[in-house]
Amino acid sequence: MNRENRRPKLHRATLRAGLAACLGVLAVTAASANAAADGGHTVKVLYAGSLAHVMEDKVRPAFEKATGDQFQGYAAGSTKLANEIKGKVRQGDVYISAHASINKRLMGSSNGDWVSWYATFMRSPLVIGYNPKSRFADALQHKPWYRVVTQPGFTFGRTDPKLDPKGKLIVKAVHRIADDENEPELRGRIMAHGQVFPEEGLVGRLQAGQLDAGFFYKGEAAAADIPTVSIDPVKLGAVYTVTQLNRAPDSAGARDFIRFILGPKGRKILKDNGFNVMSPVKVSGARSAVPEALQHAIEHD
């Protein structure tokens, strides 16, 4: 009798213990989920394709470690990005352009009022990056670039001027050197050796040996360990800007990222990778629209 009475009690005790264990696991899981949800933001950064290497390989891990936020980057030509933002094809929190004037395509009610302000924060000169294994590598180091790129068999990559400001600068550089040398036909001869590629894919094509050279920004090439030569006497380059897009899905994450990229850690990463970081940054547009949380980062010298 006593044994039979004990069995149900042992059974009920086991059930209670199992239920408690399950509830404990669920509680821990829920707590972990809540902690993950509260632990940071997911910031979508739409940036100029020339920044792909430094953003993904250097900035992203440092930013995530410093803030606990998640970085989701998308690289493309600055003009292409502006068109996609304006056309509501691409959604983001932060927009980084390689040419200040492109922001104006997103300002005002007629342009969707996507941008109210932007900060110009760094520069990088236009250079020629070359494949060190190319048979033209030595010539590029010792002869005028415009004489080397027109040699038979030479191929270089450039970007589409309709989608990327670098593409426009390349055309401008070629026209200037032709004018300086008083050789109008030089324009056609140089451009005949070029192939057009998306900005974000040009580095990979050069590194894969598909091209002898390409036009890059100095910081872009440095981040990818690509040797370069200047395009002297022509002086042209990128002027990078950053802004928080209006109606950003994660405005807090956007502010976190902009504070980081304009702060000491972000600036050091950019400097170490060959970019000329400005101090202080220059704000254009409606300064009153700059979020209060970014005022210190904007004004920091």
mmCIF file with all atom_site columns, all heavy atoms in Angstrom, residues 9-34:
data_model
loop_
_atom_site.group_PDB
_atom_site.id
_atom_site.type_symbol
_atom_site.label_atom_id
_atom_site.label_alt_id
_atom_site.label_comp_id
_atom_site.label_asym_id
_atom_site.label_entity_id
_atom_site.label_seq_id
_atom_site.pdbx_PDB_ins_code
_atom_site.Cartn_x
_atom_site.Cartn_y
_atom_site.Cartn_z
_atom_site.occupancy
_atom_site.B_iso_or_equiv
_atom_site.pdbx_formal_charge
_atom_site.auth_seq_id
_atom_site.auth_comp_id
_atom_site.auth_asym_id
_atom_site.auth_atom_id
_atom_site.pdbx_PDB_model_num
ATOM 1   N N   . LYS A 1 9  ? 3.171  10.033 -6.191  1.00 0.00 ? 9  LYS A N   1
ATOM 2   C CA  . LYS A 1 9  ? 3.827  11.227 -5.664  1.00 0.00 ? 9  LYS A CA  1
ATOM 3   C C   . LYS A 1 9  ? 5.161  11.463 -6.366  1.00 0.00 ? 9  LYS A C   1
ATOM 4   O O   . LYS A 1 9  ? 5.516  12.570 -6.713  1.00 0.00 ? 9  LYS A O   1
ATOM 5   C CB  . LYS A 1 9  ? 4.052  11.079 -4.162  1.00 0.00 ? 9  LYS A CB  1
ATOM 6   C CG  . LYS A 1 9  ? 2.762  11.118 -3.366  1.00 0.00 ? 9  LYS A CG  1
ATOM 7   C CD  . LYS A 1 9  ? 3.044  10.974 -1.891  1.00 0.00 ? 9  LYS A CD  1
ATOM 8   C CE  . LYS A 1 9  ? 1.725  10.979 -1.093  1.00 0.00 ? 9  LYS A CE  1
ATOM 9   N NZ  . LYS A 1 9  ? 1.954  10.801 0.340   1.00 0.00 ? 9  LYS A NZ  1
ATOM 10  N N   . LEU A 1 10 ? 5.929  10.349 -6.594  1.00 0.00 ? 10 LEU A N   1
ATOM 11  C CA  . LEU A 1 10 ? 7.194  10.481 -7.298  1.00 0.00 ? 10 LEU A CA  1
ATOM 12  C C   . LEU A 1 10 ? 6.968  10.957 -8.726  1.00 0.00 ? 10 LEU A C   1
ATOM 13  O O   . LEU A 1 10 ? 7.703  11.772 -9.257  1.00 0.00 ? 10 LEU A O   1
ATOM 14  C CB  . LEU A 1 10 ? 7.932  9.140  -7.311  1.00 0.00 ? 10 LEU A CB  1
ATOM 15  C CG  . LEU A 1 10 ? 8.537  8.691  -5.961  1.00 0.00 ? 10 LEU A CG  1
ATOM 16  C CD1 . LEU A 1 10 ? 9.036  7.265  -6.062  1.00 0.00 ? 10 LEU A CD1 1
ATOM 17  C CD2 . LEU A 1 10 ? 9.666  9.629  -5.542  1.00 0.00 ? 10 LEU A CD2 1
ATOM 18  N N   . HIS A 1 11 ? 5.893  10.438 -9.328  1.00 0.00 ? 11 HIS A N   1
ATOM 19  C CA  . HIS A 1 11 ? 5.575  10.825 -10.701 1.00 0.00 ? 11 HIS A CA  1
ATOM 20  C C   . HIS A 1 11 ? 5.239  12.311 -10.795 1.00 0.00 ? 11 HIS A C   1
ATOM 21  O O   . HIS A 1 11 ? 5.709  13.021 -11.676 1.00 0.00 ? 11 HIS A O   1
ATOM 22  C CB  . HIS A 1 11 ? 4.404  9.977  -11.196 1.00 0.00 ? 11 HIS A CB  1
ATOM 23  C CG  . HIS A 1 11 ? 4.024  10.273 -12.614 1.00 0.00 ? 11 HIS A CG  1
ATOM 24  N ND1 . HIS A 1 11 ? 4.870  10.062 -13.676 1.00 0.00 ? 11 HIS A ND1 1
ATOM 25  C CD2 . HIS A 1 11 ? 2.870  10.776 -13.139 1.00 0.00 ? 11 HIS A CD2 1
ATOM 26  C CE1 . HIS A 1 11 ? 4.277  10.409 -14.794 1.00 0.00 ? 11 HIS A CE1 1
ATOM 27  N NE2 . HIS A 1 11 ? 3.049  10.840 -14.479 1.00 0.00 ? 11 HIS A NE2 1
ATOM 28  N N   . ARG A 1 12 ? 4.418  12.792 -9.851  1.00 0.00 ? 12 ARG A N   1
ATOM 29  C CA  . ARG A 1 12 ? 4.037  14.203 -9.849  1.00 0.00 ? 12 ARG A CA  1
ATOM 30  C C   . ARG A 1 12 ? 5.256  15.098 -9.593  1.00 0.00 ? 12 ARG A C   1
ATOM 31  O O   . ARG A 1 12 ? 5.403  16.155 -10.186 1.00 0.00 ? 12 ARG A O   1
ATOM 32  C CB  . ARG A 1 12 ? 2.962  14.456 -8.796  1.00 0.00 ? 12 ARG A CB  1
ATOM 33  C CG  . ARG A 1 12 ? 1.580  13.933 -9.190  1.00 0.00 ? 12 ARG A CG  1
ATOM 34  C CD  . ARG A 1 12 ? 0.533  14.505 -8.274  1.00 0.00 ? 12 ARG A CD  1
ATOM 35  N NE  . ARG A 1 12 ? 0.694  14.012 -6.917  1.00 0.00 ? 12 ARG A NE  1
ATOM 36  C CZ  . ARG A 1 12 ? 0.121  12.878 -6.468  1.00 0.00 ? 12 ARG A CZ  1
ATOM 37  N NH1 . ARG A 1 12 ? -0.618 12.146 -7.289  1.00 0.00 ? 12 ARG A NH1 1
ATOM 38  N NH2 . ARG A 1 12 ? 0.296  12.503 -5.218  1.00 0.00 ? 12 ARG A NH2 1
ATOM 39  N N   . ALA A 1 13 ? 6.146  14.635 -8.749  1.00 0.00 ? 13 ALA A N   1
ATOM 40  C CA  . ALA A 1 13 ? 7.345  15.421 -8.451  1.00 0.00 ? 13 ALA A CA  1
ATOM 41  C C   . ALA A 1 13 ? 8.235  15.546 -9.684  1.00 0.00 ? 13 ALA A C   1
ATOM 42  O O   . ALA A 1 13 ? 8.806  16.596 -9.974  1.00 0.00 ? 13 ALA A O   1
ATOM 43  C CB  . ALA A 1 13 ? 8.124  14.771 -7.312  1.00 0.00 ? 13 ALA A CB  1
ATOM 44  N N   . THR A 1 14 ? 8.330  14.442 -10.419 1.00 0.00 ? 14 THR A N   1
ATOM 45  C CA  . THR A 1 14 ? 9.140  14.454 -11.645 1.00 0.00 ? 14 THR A CA  1
ATOM 46  C C   . THR A 1 14 ? 8.566  15.415 -12.669 1.00 0.00 ? 14 THR A C   1
ATOM 47  O O   . THR A 1 14 ? 9.284  16.155 -13.328 1.00 0.00 ? 14 THR A O   1
ATOM 48  C CB  . THR A 1 14 ? 9.212  13.034 -12.238 1.00 0.00 ? 14 THR A CB  1
ATOM 49  O OG1 . THR A 1 14 ? 9.754  12.154 -11.259 1.00 0.00 ? 14 THR A OG1 1
ATOM 50  C CG2 . THR A 1 14 ? 10.099 13.013 -13.482 1.00 0.00 ? 14 THR A CG2 1
ATOM 51  N N   . LEU A 1 15 ? 7.223  15.398 -12.782 1.00 0.00 ? 15 LEU A N   1
ATOM 52  C CA  . LEU A 1 15 ? 6.559  16.296 -13.724 1.00 0.00 ? 15 LEU A CA  1
ATOM 53  C C   . LEU A 1 15 ? 6.809  17.759 -13.365 1.00 0.00 ? 15 LEU A C   1
ATOM 54  O O   . LEU A 1 15 ? 7.082  18.592 -14.219 1.00 0.00 ? 15 LEU A O   1
ATOM 55  C CB  . LEU A 1 15 ? 5.052  16.030 -13.756 1.00 0.00 ? 15 LEU A CB  1
ATOM 56  C CG  . LEU A 1 15 ? 4.612  14.758 -14.486 1.00 0.00 ? 15 LEU A CG  1
ATOM 57  C CD1 . LEU A 1 15 ? 3.124  14.561 -14.291 1.00 0.00 ? 15 LEU A CD1 1
ATOM 58  C CD2 . LEU A 1 15 ? 4.949  14.864 -15.968 1.00 0.00 ? 15 LEU A CD2 1
ATOM 59  N N   . ARG A 1 16 ? 6.696  18.022 -12.040 1.00 0.00 ? 16 ARG A N   1
ATOM 60  C CA  . ARG A 1 16 ? 6.907  19.396 -11.595 1.00 0.00 ? 16 ARG A CA  1
ATOM 61  C C   . ARG A 1 16 ? 8.342  19.857 -11.877 1.00 0.00 ? 16 ARG A C   1
ATOM 62  O O   . ARG A 1 16 ? 8.573  20.979 -12.310 1.00 0.00 ? 16 ARG A O   1
ATOM 63  C CB  . ARG A 1 16 ? 6.598  19.522 -10.095 1.00 0.00 ? 16 ARG A CB  1
ATOM 64  C CG  . ARG A 1 16 ? 5.105  19.516 -9.774  1.00 0.00 ? 16 ARG A CG  1
ATOM 65  C CD  . ARG A 1 16 ? 4.863  20.017 -8.367  1.00 0.00 ? 16 ARG A CD  1
ATOM 66  N NE  . ARG A 1 16 ? 5.463  19.154 -7.367  1.00 0.00 ? 16 ARG A NE  1
ATOM 67  C CZ  . ARG A 1 16 ? 4.823  18.113 -6.812  1.00 0.00 ? 16 ARG A CZ  1
ATOM 68  N NH1 . ARG A 1 16 ? 3.588  17.816 -7.183  1.00 0.00 ? 16 ARG A NH1 1
ATOM 69  N NH2 . ARG A 1 16 ? 5.436  17.370 -5.908  1.00 0.00 ? 16 ARG A NH2 1
ATOM 70  N N   . ALA A 1 17 ? 9.286  18.949 -11.638 1.00 0.00 ? 17 ALA A N   1
ATOM 71  C CA  . ALA A 1 17 ? 10.688 19.295 -11.880 1.00 0.00 ? 17 ALA A CA  1
ATOM 72  C C   . ALA A 1 17 ? 10.951 19.536 -13.364 1.00 0.00 ? 17 ALA A C   1
ATOM 73  O O   . ALA A 1 17 ? 11.647 20.481 -13.764 1.00 0.00 ? 17 ALA A O   1
ATOM 74  C CB  . ALA A 1 17 ? 11.593 18.173 -11.374 1.00 0.00 ? 17 ALA A CB  1
ATOM 75  N N   . GLY A 1 18 ? 10.346 18.652 -14.208 1.00 0.00 ? 18 GLY A N   1
ATOM 76  C CA  . GLY A 1 18 ? 10.527 18.808 -15.653 1.00 0.00 ? 18 GLY A CA  1
ATOM 77  C C   . GLY A 1 18 ? 9.912  20.095 -16.153 1.00 0.00 ? 18 GLY A C   1
ATOM 78  O O   . GLY A 1 18 ? 10.486 20.791 -16.999 1.00 0.00 ? 18 GLY A O   1
ATOM 79  N N   . LEU A 1 19 ? 8.708  20.419 -15.629 1.00 0.00 ? 19 LEU A N   1
ATOM 80  C CA  . LEU A 1 19 ? 8.025  21.635 -16.035 1.00 0.00 ? 19 LEU A CA  1
ATOM 81  C C   . LEU A 1 19 ? 8.829  22.867 -15.628 1.00 0.00 ? 19 LEU A C   1
ATOM 82  O O   . LEU A 1 19 ? 8.971  23.820 -16.392 1.00 0.00 ? 19 LEU A O   1
ATOM 83  C CB  . LEU A 1 19 ? 6.626  21.688 -15.403 1.00 0.00 ? 19 LEU A CB  1
ATOM 84  C CG  . LEU A 1 19 ? 5.786  22.925 -15.755 1.00 0.00 ? 19 LEU A CG  1
ATOM 85  C CD1 . LEU A 1 19 ? 5.580  23.002 -17.264 1.00 0.00 ? 19 LEU A CD1 1
ATOM 86  C CD2 . LEU A 1 19 ? 4.441  22.859 -15.030 1.00 0.00 ? 19 LEU A CD2 1
ATOM 87  N N   . ALA A 1 20 ? 9.369  22.800 -14.435 1.00 0.00 ? 20 ALA A N   1
ATOM 88  C CA  . ALA A 1 20 ? 10.177 23.925 -13.959 1.00 0.00 ? 20 ALA A CA  1
ATOM 89  C C   . ALA A 1 20 ? 11.408 24.125 -14.831 1.00 0.00 ? 20 ALA A C   1
ATOM 90  O O   . ALA A 1 20 ? 11.805 25.242 -15.152 1.00 0.00 ? 20 ALA A O   1
ATOM 91  C CB  . ALA A 1 20 ? 10.592 23.687 -12.507 1.00 0.00 ? 20 ALA A CB  1
ATOM 92  N N   . ALA A 1 21 ? 12.021 22.991 -15.231 1.00 0.00 ? 21 ALA A N   1
ATOM 93  C CA  . ALA A 1 21 ? 13.213 23.071 -16.078 1.00 0.00 ? 21 ALA A CA  1
ATOM 94  C C   . ALA A 1 21 ? 12.877 23.689 -17.431 1.00 0.00 ? 21 ALA A C   1
ATOM 95  O O   . ALA A 1 21 ? 13.610 24.533 -17.955 1.00 0.00 ? 21 ALA A O   1
ATOM 96  C CB  . ALA A 1 21 ? 13.808 21.681 -16.267 1.00 0.00 ? 21 ALA A CB  1
ATOM 97  N N   . CYS A 1 22 ? 11.721 23.253 -18.000 1.00 0.00 ? 22 CYS A N   1
ATOM 98  C CA  . CYS A 1 22 ? 11.292 23.800 -19.299 1.00 0.00 ? 22 CYS A CA  1
ATOM 99  C C   . CYS A 1 22 ? 11.029 25.287 -19.214 1.00 0.00 ? 22 CYS A C   1
ATOM 100 O O   . CYS A 1 22 ? 11.422 26.069 -20.082 1.00 0.00 ? 22 CYS A O   1
ATOM 101 C CB  . CYS A 1 22 ? 10.032 23.080 -19.788 1.00 0.00 ? 22 CYS A CB  1
ATOM 102 S SG  . CYS A 1 22 ? 10.348 21.380 -20.314 1.00 0.00 ? 22 CYS A SG  1
ATOM 103 N N   . LEU A 1 23 ? 10.339 25.682 -18.127 1.00 0.00 ? 23 LEU A N   1
ATOM 104 C CA  . LEU A 1 23 ? 10.039 27.097 -17.937 1.00 0.00 ? 23 LEU A CA  1
ATOM 105 C C   . LEU A 1 23 ? 11.320 27.909 -17.774 1.00 0.00 ? 23 LEU A C   1
ATOM 106 O O   . LEU A 1 23 ? 11.433 29.036 -18.256 1.00 0.00 ? 23 LEU A O   1
ATOM 107 C CB  . LEU A 1 23 ? 9.133  27.288 -16.717 1.00 0.00 ? 23 LEU A CB  1
ATOM 108 C CG  . LEU A 1 23 ? 7.692  26.780 -16.886 1.00 0.00 ? 23 LEU A CG  1
ATOM 109 C CD1 . LEU A 1 23 ? 6.940  26.879 -15.563 1.00 0.00 ? 23 LEU A CD1 1
ATOM 110 C CD2 . LEU A 1 23 ? 6.958  27.573 -17.968 1.00 0.00 ? 23 LEU A CD2 1
ATOM 111 N N   . GLY A 1 24 ? 12.293 27.285 -17.112 1.00 0.00 ? 24 GLY A N   1
ATOM 112 C CA  . GLY A 1 24 ? 13.572 27.965 -16.930 1.00 0.00 ? 24 GLY A CA  1
ATOM 113 C C   . GLY A 1 24 ? 14.281 28.186 -18.248 1.00 0.00 ? 24 GLY A C   1
ATOM 114 O O   . GLY A 1 24 ? 14.831 29.253 -18.507 1.00 0.00 ? 24 GLY A O   1
ATOM 115 N N   . VAL A 1 25 ? 14.271 27.159 -19.105 1.00 0.00 ? 25 VAL A N   1
ATOM 116 C CA  . VAL A 1 25 ? 14.892 27.281 -20.424 1.00 0.00 ? 25 VAL A CA  1
ATOM 117 C C   . VAL A 1 25 ? 14.210 28.359 -21.250 1.00 0.00 ? 25 VAL A C   1
ATOM 118 O O   . VAL A 1 25 ? 14.854 29.183 -21.906 1.00 0.00 ? 25 VAL A O   1
ATOM 119 C CB  . VAL A 1 25 ? 14.859 25.927 -21.170 1.00 0.00 ? 25 VAL A CB  1
ATOM 120 C CG1 . VAL A 1 25 ? 15.296 26.121 -22.624 1.00 0.00 ? 25 VAL A CG1 1
ATOM 121 C CG2 . VAL A 1 25 ? 15.754 24.915 -20.477 1.00 0.00 ? 25 VAL A CG2 1
ATOM 122 N N   . LEU A 1 26 ? 12.870 28.358 -21.213 1.00 0.00 ? 26 LEU A N   1
ATOM 123 C CA  . LEU A 1 26 ? 12.106 29.356 -21.952 1.00 0.00 ? 26 LEU A CA  1
ATOM 124 C C   . LEU A 1 26 ? 12.409 30.762 -21.457 1.00 0.00 ? 26 LEU A C   1
ATOM 125 O O   . LEU A 1 26 ? 12.527 31.709 -22.240 1.00 0.00 ? 26 LEU A O   1
ATOM 126 C CB  . LEU A 1 26 ? 10.602 29.077 -21.838 1.00 0.00 ? 26 LEU A CB  1
ATOM 127 C CG  . LEU A 1 26 ? 10.091 27.849 -22.592 1.00 0.00 ? 26 LEU A CG  1
ATOM 128 C CD1 . LEU A 1 26 ? 8.622  27.583 -22.244 1.00 0.00 ? 26 LEU A CD1 1
ATOM 129 C CD2 . LEU A 1 26 ? 10.243 28.054 -24.098 1.00 0.00 ? 26 LEU A CD2 1
ATOM 130 N N   . ALA A 1 27 ? 12.541 30.894 -20.142 1.00 0.00 ? 27 ALA A N   1
ATOM 131 C CA  . ALA A 1 27 ? 12.830 32.203 -19.562 1.00 0.00 ? 27 ALA A CA  1
ATOM 132 C C   . ALA A 1 27 ? 14.195 32.702 -19.999 1.00 0.00 ? 27 ALA A C   1
ATOM 133 O O   . ALA A 1 27 ? 14.371 33.872 -20.347 1.00 0.00 ? 27 ALA A O   1
ATOM 134 C CB  . ALA A 1 27 ? 12.765 32.118 -18.030 1.00 0.00 ? 27 ALA A CB  1
ATOM 135 N N   . VAL A 1 28 ? 15.178 31.786 -19.999 1.00 0.00 ? 28 VAL A N   1
ATOM 136 C CA  . VAL A 1 28 ? 16.526 32.162 -20.420 1.00 0.00 ? 28 VAL A CA  1
ATOM 137 C C   . VAL A 1 28 ? 16.534 32.552 -21.884 1.00 0.00 ? 28 VAL A C   1
ATOM 138 O O   . VAL A 1 28 ? 17.151 33.537 -22.292 1.00 0.00 ? 28 VAL A O   1
ATOM 139 C CB  . VAL A 1 28 ? 17.517 31.001 -20.160 1.00 0.00 ? 28 VAL A CB  1
ATOM 140 C CG1 . VAL A 1 28 ? 18.859 31.311 -20.815 1.00 0.00 ? 28 VAL A CG1 1
ATOM 141 C CG2 . VAL A 1 28 ? 17.697 30.777 -18.671 1.00 0.00 ? 28 VAL A CG2 1
ATOM 142 N N   . THR A 1 29 ? 15.816 31.739 -22.708 1.00 0.00 ? 29 THR A N   1
ATOM 143 C CA  . THR A 1 29 ? 15.747 32.028 -24.143 1.00 0.00 ? 29 THR A CA  1
ATOM 144 C C   . THR A 1 29 ? 15.110 33.382 -24.409 1.00 0.00 ? 29 THR A C   1
ATOM 145 O O   . THR A 1 29 ? 15.586 34.171 -25.230 1.00 0.00 ? 29 THR A O   1
ATOM 146 C CB  . THR A 1 29 ? 14.933 30.930 -24.863 1.00 0.00 ? 29 THR A CB  1
ATOM 147 O OG1 . THR A 1 29 ? 15.549 29.670 -24.618 1.00 0.00 ? 29 THR A OG1 1
ATOM 148 C CG2 . THR A 1 29 ? 14.888 31.199 -26.369 1.00 0.00 ? 29 THR A CG2 1
ATOM 149 N N   . ALA A 1 30 ? 13.995 33.639 -23.678 1.00 0.00 ? 30 ALA A N   1
ATOM 150 C CA  . ALA A 1 30 ? 13.307 34.923 -23.851 1.00 0.00 ? 30 ALA A CA  1
ATOM 151 C C   . ALA A 1 30 ? 14.194 36.074 -23.414 1.00 0.00 ? 30 ALA A C   1
ATOM 152 O O   . ALA A 1 30 ? 14.252 37.125 -24.066 1.00 0.00 ? 30 ALA A O   1
ATOM 153 C CB  . ALA A 1 30 ? 12.010 34.931 -23.044 1.00 0.00 ? 30 ALA A CB  1
ATOM 154 N N   . ALA A 1 31 ? 14.901 35.881 -22.313 1.00 0.00 ? 31 ALA A N   1
ATOM 155 C CA  . ALA A 1 31 ? 15.783 36.932 -21.818 1.00 0.00 ? 31 ALA A CA  1
ATOM 156 C C   . ALA A 1 31 ? 16.898 37.210 -22.809 1.00 0.00 ? 31 ALA A C   1
ATOM 157 O O   . ALA A 1 31 ? 17.263 38.358 -23.059 1.00 0.00 ? 31 ALA A O   1
ATOM 158 C CB  . ALA A 1 31 ? 16.382 36.520 -20.469 1.00 0.00 ? 31 ALA A CB  1
ATOM 159 N N   . SER A 1 32 ? 17.436 36.124 -23.401 1.00 0.00 ? 32 SER A N   1
ATOM 160 C CA  . SER A 1 32 ? 18.508 36.278 -24.386 1.00 0.00 ? 32 SER A CA  1
ATOM 161 C C   . SER A 1 32 ? 18.010 37.021 -25.613 1.00 0.00 ? 32 SER A C   1
ATOM 162 O O   . SER A 1 32 ? 18.693 37.876 -26.163 1.00 0.00 ? 32 SER A O   1
ATOM 163 C CB  . SER A 1 32 ? 19.052 34.907 -24.807 1.00 0.00 ? 32 SER A CB  1
ATOM 164 O OG  . SER A 1 32 ? 19.597 34.228 -23.692 1.00 0.00 ? 32 SER A OG  1
ATOM 165 N N   . ALA A 1 33 ? 16.779 36.667 -26.032 1.00 0.00 ? 33 ALA A N   1
ATOM 166 C CA  . ALA A 1 33 ? 16.200 37.323 -27.208 1.00 0.00 ? 33 ALA A CA  1
ATOM 167 C C   . ALA A 1 33 ? 15.990 38.809 -26.937 1.00 0.00 ? 33 ALA A C   1
ATOM 168 O O   . ALA A 1 33 ? 16.272 39.651 -27.790 1.00 0.00 ? 33 ALA A O   1
ATOM 169 C CB  . ALA A 1 33 ? 14.872 36.658 -27.577 1.00 0.00 ? 33 ALA A CB  1
ATOM 170 N N   . ASN A 1 34 ? 15.474 39.115 -25.745 1.00 0.00 ? 34 ASN A N   1
ATOM 171 C CA  . ASN A 1 34 ? 15.247 40.512 -25.396 1.00 0.00 ? 34 ASN A CA  1
ATOM 172 C C   . ASN A 1 34 ? 16.560 41.269 -25.312 1.00 0.00 ? 34 ASN A C   1
ATOM 173 O O   . ASN A 1 34 ? 16.667 42.426 -25.725 1.00 0.00 ? 34 ASN A O   1
ATOM 174 C CB  . ASN A 1 34 ? 14.497 40.618 -24.057 1.00 0.00 ? 34 ASN A CB  1
ATOM 175 C CG  . ASN A 1 34 ? 13.057 40.152 -24.179 1.00 0.00 ? 34 ASN A CG  1
ATOM 176 O OD1 . ASN A 1 34 ? 12.481 40.210 -25.263 1.00 0.00 ? 34 ASN A OD1 1
ATOM 177 N ND2 . ASN A 1 34 ? 12.473 39.686 -23.084 1.00 0.00 ? 34 ASN A ND2 1
#
